[in-house]
């Protein structure tokens, strides 16, 4: 994380100061903005490695910034700083291209851990074989192995698992998943995802009723934890 450039867009002085001090102490270069206009400008010009983005901001809100970053073609990780009890806002932000969120008041240590994971992943090249638990997903061979034996997956289960693997650690809405895995197919509903998740869990989870890899995020969607 040392040497990474972090953009923090936050209009609450105490939160901004706390975040800035923390990331500076980790050796990061920290760029800050206290309103949406300055935040938008920096997001598009400062080439940050990670963006911590408040939603309710003076002038331009965080959603618009999120949208503009993705419209510019950047895939920089974006973590939204959101207020409590606003699941719909979180879903909106994730659908606009944010990767994750923390709910205020958040634990700084948790946010740092999450930031660290994003920074590592952003730099690492995509791997051919993705490992989690006792499973190995071979992306080029389209095969899943568990404990040495091959596990049969349907085409949709494979696509879903490959998508989860490529977005590990990120909060994914049902809408994200539907678009990425099912595309424009008209016969699918969010329930189709839930059904596919259920069959996939039965194949990869040590305890499908208490999943450790494919986690449900209530009212939002799923998060794959490797
Ligand atoms: Ca705010």
């Amino acid at each position: 994380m040392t040497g990474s450039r972090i953009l923090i867009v936050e209009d609450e002085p105490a939160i901004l100061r706390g975040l800035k001090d923390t990331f500076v102490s980790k050796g990061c270069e920290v760029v800050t903005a206290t309103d949406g206009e300055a935040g938008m400008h920096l997001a598009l010009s400062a080439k940050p490695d990670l963006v911590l983005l408040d939603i309710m901001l003076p002038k331009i809100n965080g959603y618009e910034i999120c949208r503009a970053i993705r419209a510019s073609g950047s895939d920089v990780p974006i973590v939204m700083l959101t207020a409590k009890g606003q699941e719909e806002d979180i879903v909106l932000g994730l659908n606009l291209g944010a990767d994750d969120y923390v709910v205020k008041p958040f634990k700084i240590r948790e946010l740092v851990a999450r930031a660290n994971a994003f920074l590592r992943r952003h730099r690492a090249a995509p791997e051919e074989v993705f490992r989690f638990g006792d499973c190995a997903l071979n992306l080029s061979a389209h095969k899943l192995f568990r404990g040495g034996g091959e596990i049969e997956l349907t085409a949709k289960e494979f696509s879903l698992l490959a998508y989860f693997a490529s977005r590990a650690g990120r909060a994914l809405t049902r809408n994200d998943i539907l678009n990425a895995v099912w595309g424009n197919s008209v016969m699918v509903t969010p329930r189709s995802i839930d059904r596919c998740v259920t069959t996939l869990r039965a194949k990869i989870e040590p305890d499908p009723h208490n999943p450790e890899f494919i986690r449900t995020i209530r009212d939002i969607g799923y998060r794959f934890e490797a």
Side-chain angles (χ1 to χ4, degrees), residues 10-12 54-58 104:
E10 169 63 68
D11 61 333
E12 191 78 42
D54 186 25
I55 298 298
M56 299 308 289
L57 291 162
K104 296 174 185 175

Side-chain angles (χ1 to χ4, degrees), residues 36-187:
E37 203 171 84
M40 175 88 88
H41 175 72
L42 285 170
L44 299 177
S45 66
K47 298 203 189 313
D49 298 305
L50 175 72
V51 179
L52 304 181
L53 185 62
D54 186 25
I55 298 298
M56 299 308 289
L57 291 162
K59 295 182 185 174
I60 299 175
N61 68 39
Y63 301 125
E64 294 307 317
I65 297 176
C66 221
R67 199 200 305 266
I69 291 173
R70 292 302 178 238
S72 76
S74 163
D75 65 344
V76 61
I78 302 173
V79 178
M80 295 184 290
L81 313 175
T82 59
K84 205 174 179 165
Q86 304 190 328
E87 281 75 17
E88 283 175 19
D89 297 355
I90 292 169
V91 169
L92 177 58
L94 294 172
N95 283 338
L96 289 174
D99 295 294
D100 208 353
Y101 63 94
V102 289
V103 177
K104 296 174 185 175
F106 48 82
K107 290 198 176 67
I108 197 91
R109 216 183 261 183
E110 211 174 285
L111 177 60
V112 168
R114 220 157 255 290
N116 216 351
F118 277 119
L119 290 168
R120 264 201 318 265
R121 214 170 293 137
H122 197 55
R123 285 179 179 178
E127 289 181 40
E128 283 290 275
V129 178
F130 183 84
R131 292 173 201 284
F132 57 98
D134 61 350
C135 296
L137 180 67
N138 189 315
L139 294 166
S140 50
H142 277 232
K143 285 183 174 181
L144 174 71
F145 297 90
R146 183 173 178 187
E150 188 180 345
I151 305 283
E152 294 283 343
L153 295 180
T154 65
K156 274 286 166 276
E157 286 167 352
F158 176 83
S159 304
L160 180 60
L161 186 54
Y163 178 66
F164 278 142
S166 72
R167 315 286 291 169
R170 302 182 182 213
L172 302 168
T173 65
R174 286 190 170 78
N175 204 31
D176 287 332
I177 299 169
L178 214 50
N179 288 337
V181 178
W182 276 265
N184 295 322
S185 171
V186 289
M187 296 303 287

